[in-house]
Amino acid sequence: MNNGAAGATRSAGREVDLVVVGDGPAGSALAHAATALHVETALVGPDDPWTATYATWIDDLAGMSRAEEYVARVIPEIDAHADRSVTLRRPYGILDNVRLREILRERVDHVDDRVTDVRPNEVDGRHVVRLASGERLDARVVIDTTGWPATFARRLTNGPTPAWQTALGVVLAEPPGGDLGRPTWMDFRPVGRSAETPSTVGPAGVSTFCYSLPVHDGWLVEETVLAARPAVEPIALLPRLAARLGRHPDELLADAVRVEYVRIPMGGRRPHPDQPVIAFGAAAGYVHPATGFSIATSLRAAPRVAAAIADAVELAVDGDPIPSESIAEAVWPVSHRRTRVLHDYGLEMMLKLDDEDVREFFGSFFALDAAEWPAYLRLDSSPNEVSRVMALLFRSVSWPMRRRLMSANPTMFARLVRP
């Protein structure tokens, strides 16, 4: 299969094996993996810069080709503060967006445009993909990587509605004073110099944590709602972030190199497995319901899903549509779907906890053996690994917390965490 070079002249109705709609990290990773397998691929998107701060645990990139080239900074250890403080000796990496983008776009046919419509062609079994420029692509397979909610892929009609992780972050020219001048993954401690709780500053009744680490243009300090339903607007977190740093909100914004506003869907319905357009990345629900992380999951999944696409294209009969089931199964294998049930239960429980409960929960979580708790923070861990972490955590918390963790459905909880 002859893959066209980026920027080549394209006539209307150009035929390709695969169109990836959306050119963010997930779409670019999938297009790159498919191109490497000689699947004729067009990656379509407006080529906007990647401005988010992407980070991940270094071991979550184990086995990934050229990961060392796009990890801009490795933090050997990072702090967490809840009802106790702990230093997590698990290396954490800040990604170089520009280098990651360059690597994932190598040899990929990128179409700088926007998809306006995708429709099946009953005559030849292909999809007609229409672009804003008026151009048309005819594809055997179409993958939607446009983020949540997906633009063209349909979601299951039953299942939870998403909670939202929202955050407001400021990048400062210098590290802040105190503990937040050290890399910090989560700081759930109360805000202020007195015994006041976090809910006394900023949005009432919402537990938040602070995330603080060095980035390419300074030091990012971000106040984050782990999960809420409905969403808390990021700007509502400014007073709490300012109070945590001992600054006036206006002064803090004036001193910021830049400001980040974050809205991430947590949980929610997975894509429908039987549909013409298949979702991938955040569009497919690849956002971890406990952390909001997704990029490492998409990078790890891209080769697996690309292989399923290559097999489907190879076995397809000309003129017949390519069945989507095998590709959808690669996006969400059955073991990952079972793991997702565990994560969704954990999210629903988290939404019920107050500030004190949240601090106990995370203090106990990070007090687990460092070889155990990381499995819970991966979407693609086996259900047995995740249920083991849940069982260990359950045994380590207080009896009042145990009752809260079981409160929604004790029978289901006992089944989820059985040895």
Side-chain angles (χ1 to χ4, degrees), residues 395-412:
R395 290 196 290 269
S396 71
V397 298
S398 65
W399 278 105
M401 175 62 79
R402 293 183 190 186
R403 287 194 291 272
R404 290 178 180 86
L405 295 178
M406 296 177 64
S407 62
N409 190 330
T411 302
M412 181 180 181

Side-chain angles (χ1 to χ4, degrees), residues 247-386:
R247 307 281 295 277
H248 187 279
D250 292 343
E251 176 193 12
L252 183 61
L253 289 180
D255 289 346
V257 175
R258 60 183 170 89
V259 180
E260 288 193 359
Y261 300 90
V262 179
R263 293 176 63 92
I264 300 173
M266 308 280 279
R269 302 180 182 117
R270 290 183 293 102
H272 200 293
D274 182 16
Q275 60 176 313
V277 178
I278 304 157
F280 180 74
Y286 275 13
V287 178
H288 196 291
T291 66
F293 282 24
S294 74
I295 190 166
T297 300
S298 295
L299 293 175
R300 290 196 303 271
R304 178 183 74 238
V305 176
I309 294 169
D311 289 345
V313 170
E314 185 68 26
L315 296 173
V317 176
D318 286 343
D320 291 343
I322 291 180
S324 62
E325 290 82 1
S326 63
I327 303 171
E329 179 66 21
V331 173
W332 274 105
V334 63
S335 64
H336 297 180
R337 299 197 298 270
R338 291 172 179 164
T339 294
R340 178 59 181 269
V341 172
L342 296 165
H343 284 147
D344 282 345
Y345 188 97
L347 172 62
E348 293 306 315
M349 290 303 93
M350 191 62 58
L351 292 169
K352 300 176 185 298
L353 302 182
D354 62 20
D355 291 340
E356 186 175 347
D357 293 335
V358 168
R359 288 194 289 275
E360 179 184 351
F361 180 95
F362 279 100
S364 300
F365 181 86
F366 288 120
L368 296 176
D369 191 286
E372 300 285 358
W373 60 260
Y376 190 84
L377 302 185
R378 299 188 185 103
L379 278 180
D380 48 10
S381 292
S382 74
N384 286 342
E385 290 174 311
V386 174

Side-chain angles (χ1 to χ4, degrees), residues 36-109:
L37 294 176
H38 308 290
V39 176
E40 189 174 8
T41 301
L43 172 68
V44 184
D47 207 26
D48 294 330
W50 299 351
T51 58
T53 298
Y54 295 121
T56 185
W57 303 103
I58 293 298
D59 56 17
D60 281 349
L61 298 175
M64 298 297 300
S65 174
R66 303 173 67 182
E68 71 284 355
E69 295 185 39
Y70 57 76
V71 175
R73 184 191 299 263
V74 176
I75 299 170
E77 56 185 37
I78 191 165
D79 294 342
H81 305 283
D83 67 348
R84 68 201 86 174
S85 295
V86 61
T87 296
L88 307 175
R89 291 178 174 84
R90 183 185 181 196
Y92 191 70
I94 313 300
L95 305 191
D96 180 336
N97 291 4
V98 172
R99 186 62 185 135
L100 177 64
R101 182 190 183 101
E102 290 173 348
I103 290 172
L104 296 182
R105 295 283 180 83
E106 286 181 0
R107 295 181 295 278
V108 170
D109 178 11

